[in-house]
Amino acid sequence: MTTTETISVGFQNRAGTRSLINFLRNWALPILVVLLFVLSIFLVPKFAELTTIRAIFLQASLIGIAAVGMTALTLSGNMFSLGVTPTVILGAMVYIWVGEGTTSMWLGAAAAIIVVVILGIIQGFIVSLGLNAVIVTLAVGSVIYGVTAIVTKGALVEPSEKVDLAGFATFDIFGIPLPIVVFIVFTALAWFLTEHTLIGRNVHLLGANKETARNSGISPRATTVWAFIAMSLGFGIAAVIASAQIHSVQADQLPNLTLDTVAAVLVGGTAVTGGDGSPIKSAIGALFIATIAQIMVLTSVPDGLKQLILGIVVVALVVILHVLRKAGSR
Amino acid sequence: MNDKVPFRLRASGITKSYGAVNALSDVNFELKAGEVMALLGENGAGKSTIVKVISGLIIPDQGEITIDGDVVQLNSVRASQEAGIAVVQQEFSTVGTMTVAENLVLGQNGAPAWWSPKKLKANAKEILARVGLEELDPSTPVDKLSVAEMQLLEIARVLAKDAKIIIFDEPTAALSDAEIVRVLEAVKRLASEGRSIIYVTHRLGEVFEIADRVTIFRNGRSQPAENVSDLTVDTVVAKMIGRELGHLYPERSGVHGEPVLEARALKVPGIRGEVNLTVRRGEILGLTGQLGSGTSELLKALAGTNDVLAGEVYLEGAPVDLRGRRRGIVTGIAYCSPDRKKDGIFAGLSIRRNLSSPWLRRVSSLGFVSGKQENDEALRGATNFALDVNRLNALVGNLSGGNQQKVALGKWVGIRPRVLLVEEPTRGVDVGARAEIYTQLRRLCDSGVGVVVVSSDTNEILGLSDTIATYYRGKQTTIKPATEWTEPALVREVMHRED
């Protein structure tokens, strides 16, 4: 038929430009990370040392696990959580308390993850009633911070000498620190669940168009709660790793974690509006942010300037990705 | 108008290509003062590109545009507006929370910086009268207007700019027949004031009603303009698609089996009184009425997205629970909404993901989606609705309106529907895709699926349905076989029914 021919010719031609744009959109950040590494090896003192690379990946693991979890929420069309720091800190404290009490780091880890997931389910229910996820997570995060600060009276929560709770940070698997292994496995698992399970696909569809999803028989409420559960799993695991890494926890630690996590998701290229993105992208986003931060530590950039540079880089990348997404779907 | 400048607007040799594709090749187009020129063509034929060229959104590679004999450079929307060209958009550009009168002075060139309430109202009254909205209170917030009133207000806004060439881009796409009449009257009035009108539409009926001449586009080329009086619907369609269409509507089987869907004493919000309906195997039941007649609400109730107040619905003899889409899908009730962009497709996802969205659960076990089953079933749906099976990874948002509609319909094949409920199956769809959609609906029906079509396009209802139920202001008025209706009688029934 005449129409089909004309349309398909135009389509294929535009498809050429489009696939170039989409190639850029998917590969710009990985290429940027590689370039950053290569340049830094030559330009930044001490960058090429094993301890530096190790530090980058350890930092990326913490941000990355939280960001991979949060990708589920962003994909579902609920933007992001602004309560990452207090949630992770609470989880880290639960890990120490239960780990101490039971003298088992495994039980401690299980308790931390369960507490964080339960908090996630509660927030998921509130959001599924029609409230905005950003506001709910900010408010609940604030409540969690208040409670932890009051309970601990602002003091350090520290494990005693008799129990070793640092195991999750000090284990090596073939020389690779456990947090990095967990990061990679969690990312792969998150990707598989997003792409190949009913719940993962429903989360994606809900974010792509809520009304169409509803008409297709997908329950927006149940799916939103599932997105919160997936996110909280990431926060719970991040809490255990953070606790094992930093050893002792205080209510006002990790002040930048929330923004770093949000930045990792956005820089990675997952759309704020939902329905477009991947946990793998967020993982690479986390690696990018950890790399920039480490470079600035090595080159002794003052703290204020560090934040400024990181902020500018994130905004620039998010704008470029947004423009590419628009162009790619035209 | 003197003899030297017989044309208000003349575009000659307009060419625009994107890479190797010619969106427009050597297009010649002319517009006389005070005439209504209809632009026709299938999706992608070039009619929207030439409109964009004239409105300054696209700069052509070659060619020349003259207005009243003078060559003009329409390099921007502003240049186009200054040349006296205005566009009535399909999308509304009014501000919902402001009043009608305020919206009419928004963005008006050379308007005074301050309006007294009295002057604002008088100005609005005058403009509104010219589009047939004289009874509308100018202090009404735009939010409170009907879709047709908003469309007329959109025209009024253009009038406030006092343009000599006005482009209408499918102004009636979302309107019912009675409301279309008001818009068409406004268009005629504008032409009688000496303004030149370019009218883009998918509805052939409108062309014969208001246009003086027609320019038909095909494959990026224009054909010489012709007087409407020299044309018939069949010749126009043939010129648009380059061949005889044959019958737009597929043949009826005429054999009806046992009931598939039955509604008994059904009461739903938006409908006065009780509704009794039966859809039998091999039968397409058409529900028709103007906007506000209740057909849309009734179909949504059957789909499970609108409340049911009382009554019962039976599917193959067994009562069904109509609360929520999920239950409906499990029992085999498919529902295709009238507004595909809003709630029928996922524009940002691939054709495959769109097709599989309602039946993912069926191709999953223990929560894991079987990629192979998903792909096989998606291929089946795509083949059924004449979608290119090699393009299943293409984003649905990049497809033409017709192909998007095929996706919105084709996704339901995979739930193995027993009943298919469709509202406005061909809104914003070109003629070629329309024929394919009708054929598929008929084929599904012949395979034993009960089909219910809601449409405000009486021609479509008459051509497609076996049985027609009519609705007027929230009341079911008649149910008769389609063969007992003629189009004028049906139009009269849904538009001017005497109570």
Side-chain angles (χ1 to χ4, degrees), chain B residues 160-429:
Chain B
K161 292 177 190 157
D162 200 34
K164 52 186 171 183
I165 298 168
I166 304 176
I167 303 172
F168 287 85
D169 192 358
E170 293 197 51
T172 57
L175 305 184
S176 66
D177 289 354
E179 295 171 314
I180 290 171
V181 170
R182 295 173 76 181
V183 172
L184 296 187
E185 273 168 8
V187 172
K188 281 183 205 159
R189 202 172 307 139
L190 292 175
S192 69
E193 289 171 9
R195 296 170 210 275
S196 305
I197 314 283
I198 300 174
Y199 195 90
V200 182
T201 186
H202 268 122
R203 300 190 186 220
L204 292 184
E206 291 171 4
V207 173
F208 289 93
E209 196 169 326
I210 61 159
D212 301 304
R213 295 195 301 155
V214 181
T215 302
I216 295 172
F217 280 77
R218 201 169 84 207
N219 298 341
R221 292 178 184 278
S222 61
Q223 300 178 32
E226 293 186 67
N227 289 324
V228 169
S229 49
D230 300 338
L231 295 167
T232 66
V233 173
D234 288 342
T235 53
V236 167
V237 170
K239 279 172 194 287
M240 276 169 68
I241 62 173
R243 60 180 168 81
E244 292 293 335
L245 189 66
H247 292 292
L248 183 59
Y249 301 105
E251 265 181 50
R252 301 181 173 97
S253 62
V255 190
H256 300 154
E258 70 273 28
V260 182
L261 185 77
E262 284 174 278
R264 290 194 203 136
L266 196 65
K267 288 184 114 169
V268 298
I271 291 266
R272 289 182 291 145
E274 292 175 347
V275 173
N276 290 291
L277 286 174
T278 305
V279 191
R280 289 161 295 174
R281 229 175 260 295
E283 179 185 35
I284 295 182
L285 174 65
L287 311 182
T288 186
Q290 302 299 307
L291 267 184
S293 64
T295 48
S296 179
E297 287 78 2
L298 178 59
L299 199 73
K300 285 189 173 73
L302 291 174
T305 60
N306 199 0
D307 294 337
V308 173
L309 301 176
E312 301 226 35
V313 175
Y314 298 87
L315 190 61
E316 290 171 355
V320 283
D321 186 345
L322 291 179
R323 284 170 303 167
R325 272 312 286 138
R326 178 99 138 257
R327 282 197 189 80
I329 288 169
V330 173
T331 44
I333 301 177
Y335 167 66
C336 186
S337 84
D339 188 346
R340 57 178 170 268
K341 285 215 169 63
K342 179 169 158 267
D343 55 13
I345 58 167
F346 300 97
L349 299 183
S350 67
I351 296 179
R352 183 183 291 106
R353 292 265 167 121
N354 266 273
L355 289 174
S356 68
S357 58
W359 41 260
L360 262 186
R361 187 172 292 272
R362 216 170 55 75
V363 294
S364 306
S365 50
L366 300 170
F368 291 96
V369 178
S370 156
K372 192 187 171 302
Q373 280 186 50
E374 182 189 12
N375 198 41
D376 291 351
E377 193 75 56
L379 275 174
R380 219 169 62 92
T383 317
N384 254 310
F385 270 89
L387 284 158
D388 186 346
V389 290
N390 297 317
R391 277 167 49 186
L392 291 187
N393 288 324
L395 295 189
V396 168
N398 294 335
L399 303 180
S400 67
N403 282 333
Q404 287 184 358
Q405 187 68 16
K406 289 188 206 163
V407 171
L409 276 163
K411 68 179 183 177
W412 295 109
V413 175
I415 74 161
R416 307 281 150 83
R418 294 197 275 176
V419 175
L420 173 61
L421 311 171
V422 202
E423 189 169 354
E424 305 293 350
T426 60
R427 182 176 280 175
V429 167

Side-chain angles (χ1 to χ4, degrees), chain A residues 145-216:
Chain A
Y145 170 78
V147 171
T148 52
I150 291 168
V151 170
T152 63
K153 302 192 182 69
L156 273 180
V157 177
E158 239 177 331
S160 57
E161 298 297 312
K162 57 182 191 253
V163 208
D164 179 21
L165 292 180
F168 286 114
T170 52
F171 274 164
D172 269 20
I173 296 175
F174 301 120
I176 302 168
L178 187 64
I180 299 174
V181 176
V182 172
F183 173 37
I184 294 168
V185 172
F186 184 64
T187 305
L189 199 67
W191 172 82
F192 179 82
L193 294 176
T194 312
E195 295 293 312
H196 296 286
T197 63
L198 196 55
I199 290 167
R201 296 285 289 272
N202 283 352
V203 164
H204 211 123
L205 290 171
L206 179 68
N209 185 336
K210 193 173 177 176
E211 294 308 313
T212 308
R214 202 195 301 271
N215 269 343
S216 305

Side-chain angles (χ1 to χ4, degrees), chain A residues 98 152 159 180 235 291 303 318:
Chain A
V98 177
T152 63
I180 299 174
F235 291 177
T291 310
D303 254 0
V318 170

Side-chain angles (χ1 to χ4, degrees), chain A residues 221-236:
Chain A
R221 297 178 73 169
T223 308
T224 300
V225 173
W226 278 112
F228 268 91
I229 291 173
M231 174 175 77
S232 304
L233 273 176
F235 291 177

